[in-house]
Amino acid sequence: MNTVRERLDSVKKRLVLLCGQPHKVYLIIGLIGALGFAVITPPFQGPDEPEHYIRVQYIAHGHVIPVNPKSTGASLPKSVGETLRLTFYDDEIRGFSAKKYDFNRTKQAVKKSLNPSERYQPPMVSYNFLTYLPAIPGVFLANVFNVSPVVSLYVARILLALASVIIVYFALKLIPVKKYLFTFVALLPMMLFQQSMVGTDGVSYAILLLFLAYTLRLYVQSTDIQRSQWIKLALLCGAIVWSKPLLYLFLPLIIILVKKKHFWRWSITAAVTSILLLGANIVMANNAGEYEYRSDSLPQNIQSDKQLQNLKEHPKRGPRVLWNSYMTSFGDDESRGVVGTFGAADTLYPLWMGYIYIFVLGMTATVSLGKDKSKLTIPNSWRWLAVGLAAVHFVAVNVAIYLTYTPYNFDIIYGVQGRYFLPTLIIIFMAIFLGRGAELKPQDKKNIITISSLIILSLVMMALLITFQRYFMYTP
């Protein structure tokens, strides 16, 4: 009996020791979640994954800068399009939870080699190459060995998941305070799901968190910021500009470093560089031309010009549409989607999971769990700036979706997904809770940290199970 108890005590001590290192907690649970989602999610079921995979294939074939295939002759092996039809387009299940994925479709697709001799010209999305970079070597090698496109899709997923998790891991090591809060935010199922799919969200959000963590690390640094550190920060600014659109709205948060030596020289340099990179992005997007979506499930009657004109002529319409979208039950699905994968559009997680996440995040936000008891003094002006930028980002995302995806004259914003607001969530938590929190006894801290980590691990495992059930098992 004593031996069993001693072993249990030993396991408990190791568990407490491990949970005392938030970056390692994230690495373990993050890899389980991200790689789990990458494997169990059927081909091309990620958000806009067919379009993103085509972009990755174009880059692997040498088209790093987005172009219009019709005017430039850019093309891909025809087997890419055949694989898309076989595994996705021929029987779309997205948005219909009662419809399940037939795994035989994947088995058939695996047998289909790349066969680069036969070509076709799918349209190319205009996203920059940066956030796809981790996937490119794997897809390129898969193409060299004439491997099936569906296999290279999974290779791309795994490489992007690993890259995203590693970037967040280093961000959590850098951030000086509230490590557990941002560890658990980074372990939201939605965040892990985005990291596991072929797309821009996973790497983009990871870079944003690294930028914020590095900025705060420089802020608490007692010595002058070195030239090499300013260069690293400038590179992170450039990476954000070249990642997901609208994330550059958060770059002004470097103003927290205003009292640091050489701030204005380096911030102006970073600002000019960021504007030039943003301009290059716009030019490349125009080069690629307008993207034509192929899915039959997309809304009809999308008229961006008329939609914009309608908003200009009726100034009250915009606020009314925003109210209709978030102050009714329609908005509940967007809120749940911040935790889950797609909300009502696809895998809908139960509300109790959301409540538990809210409880854990609230607890870790309002108490101080770090080893250092010193408070981080954050200027209130910076907090208000962060809140303002989060609000601007929220409105900008909704306007963009209303103009480009919502049918003309709709009274709600159609197609908004919780994943768009993960950056907003991170910024809001930073604005409100950085440098704040009630002090606890050391043993109470250990208990909260250990129990919270186990709860989050359980929720991530539950999310994987629910997602698997959605695609392959009976759903009542």
Side-chain angles (χ1 to χ4, degrees):
M1 180 65 74
N2 287 337
T3 305
V4 174
R5 183 170 294 175
E6 287 173 1
R7 288 180 180 177
L8 288 174
D9 288 341
S10 176
V11 170
K12 183 180 177 181
K13 287 179 181 178
R14 291 180 183 178
L15 182 62
V16 171
L17 184 64
L18 175 62
C19 292
Q21 304 174 79
H23 53 285
K24 290 186 178 180
V25 171
Y26 169 77
L27 186 64
I28 294 170
I29 303 177
L31 287 175
I32 292 172
L35 295 179
F37 279 125
V39 172
I40 69 174
T41 306
F44 306 109
Q45 293 298 322
D48 304 323
E49 197 169 24
E51 292 78 22
H52 289 298
Y53 175 73
I54 287 172
R55 179 71 179 109
V56 169
Q57 277 288 7
Y58 268 123
I59 297 172
H61 280 79
H63 300 286
V64 177
I65 296 175
V67 295
N68 189 329
K70 291 181 180 178
S71 60
T72 60
S75 65
L76 294 178
K78 196 174 180 179
S79 58
V80 172
E82 293 170 348
T83 300
L84 280 164
R85 283 196 301 273
L86 177 60
T87 59
F88 183 74
Y89 288 122
D90 282 351
D91 184 22
E92 288 197 38
I93 63 173
R94 184 179 298 167
F96 306 96
S97 60
K99 294 180 70 174
K100 302 301 172 183
Y101 182 78
D102 183 359
F103 190 68
N104 288 320
R105 295 161 67 183
T106 299
K107 289 182 178 179
Q108 293 176 41
V110 169
K111 298 175 183 177
K112 190 181 292 292
S113 61
L114 186 68
N115 190 16
S117 59
E118 297 183 33
R119 317 288 290 186
Y120 86 127
Q121 293 181 299
M124 186 188 307
V125 291
S126 58
Y127 283 124
N128 201 287
F129 64 88
L130 179 67
T131 51
Y132 300 116
L133 276 181
I136 304 304
V139 174
F140 176 79
L141 286 175
N143 292 345
V144 167
F145 290 100
N146 204 32
V147 172
S148 166
V150 77
V151 173
S152 67
L153 169 76
Y154 280 97
V155 170
R157 281 183 176 181
I158 290 170
L159 291 175
L160 286 168
L162 290 173
S164 301
V165 169
I166 289 170
I167 293 171
V168 174
Y169 169 82
F170 283 109
L172 293 171
K173 288 192 72 173
L174 282 173
I175 200 165
V177 289
K178 294 293 181 185
K179 288 178 180 285
Y180 287 96
L181 171 61
F182 296 105
T183 294
F184 297 148
V185 169
L187 289 173
L188 286 167
M190 171 62 87
M191 187 75 82
L192 296 174
F193 184 78
Q194 292 307 109
Q195 291 175 335
S196 69
M197 297 295 108
V198 178
T200 61
D201 287 5
V203 173
S204 294
Y205 296 165
I207 292 173
L208 175 65
L209 189 57
L210 182 62
F211 160 75
L212 295 167
Y214 193 61
T215 301
L216 291 170
R217 171 61 65 180
L218 295 179
Y219 174 69
V220 301
Q221 182 175 295
S222 57
T223 58
D224 288 337
I225 299 176
Q226 301 300 311
R227 178 189 177 123
S228 60
Q229 293 175 315
W230 282 118
I231 292 174
K232 290 175 185 176
L233 184 60
L235 289 174
L236 283 172
C237 291
I240 287 175
V241 173
W242 266 23
S243 59
K244 190 175 178 66
L246 298 180
L247 289 187
Y248 53 78
L249 292 172
F250 297 119
L251 291 181
L253 290 175
I254 65 169
I255 197 71
I256 198 172
L257 303 176
V258 67
K259 293 184 179 180
K260 297 291 185 177
K261 192 175 181 180
H262 304 309
F263 168 78
W264 288 110
R265 180 200 306 174
W266 284 102
S267 62
I268 291 172
T269 302
V272 171
T273 304
S274 298
I275 291 170
L276 291 174
L277 290 174
L278 182 60
N281 253 356
I282 295 171
V283 170
M284 287 188 289
N286 290 334
N287 249 358
E290 187 175 348
Y291 186 83
E292 300 173 5
Y293 287 93
R294 295 183 51 197
S295 175
D296 295 331
S297 64
L298 292 174
Q300 303 299 311
N301 194 29
I302 299 174
Q303 303 179 53
S304 299
D305 293 339
K306 291 183 69 176
Q307 196 89 291
L308 179 60
Q309 186 63 31
N310 198 17
L311 290 176
K312 290 179 179 178
E313 292 175 356
H314 304 91
K316 294 181 180 180
R317 177 166 182 75
R320 188 172 74 248
V321 169
L322 196 64
W323 179 275
N324 293 341
S325 301
Y326 292 98
M327 298 301 172
T328 64
S329 58
F330 179 84
D332 292 342
D333 293 325
E334 276 63 61
S335 300
R336 292 171 73 178
V338 176
V339 175
T341 50
F342 282 109
D346 211 271
T347 307
L348 189 62
Y349 292 158
L351 279 173
W352 61 262
M353 282 184 64
Y355 294 150
I356 295 176
Y357 263 103
I358 291 170
F359 174 77
V360 172
L361 292 177
M363 180 171 56
T364 52
T366 52
V367 299
S368 178
L369 296 175
K371 295 179 181 178
D372 186 1
K373 294 185 178 181
S374 63
K375 297 285 185 179
L376 175 64
T377 304
I378 299 290
N380 284 331
S381 57
W382 187 87
R383 295 184 191 275
W384 283 110
L385 174 63
V387 171
L389 292 176
V392 169
H393 180 263
F394 175 81
V395 172
V397 167
N398 280 283
V399 170
I401 297 298
Y402 189 66
L403 294 178
T404 61
Y405 196 89
T406 304
Y408 174 65
N409 223 22
F410 243 44
D411 286 327
I412 59 169
I413 302 168
Y414 185 81
V416 179
Q417 296 168 5
R419 64 189 176 100
Y420 301 137
F421 304 118
L422 288 169
T424 309
L425 185 68
I426 293 171
I427 299 299
I428 288 293
F429 273 130
M430 284 195 169
I432 297 175
F433 297 112
L434 279 183
R436 295 169 175 168
E439 288 293 343
L440 300 175
K441 296 178 181 178
Q443 188 58 46
D444 291 337
K445 287 185 181 182
K446 289 180 181 179
N447 291 339
I448 290 176
I449 288 168
T450 305
I451 293 171
S452 297
S453 299
L454 292 174
I455 289 173
I456 294 296
L457 173 61
S458 301
L459 289 174
V460 169
M461 298 297 291
M462 187 67 68
L464 291 172
L465 177 60
I466 293 171
T467 304
F468 182 82
Q469 178 192 26
R470 181 266 172 270
Y471 288 117
F472 299 105
M473 298 168 65
Y474 170 71
T475 304

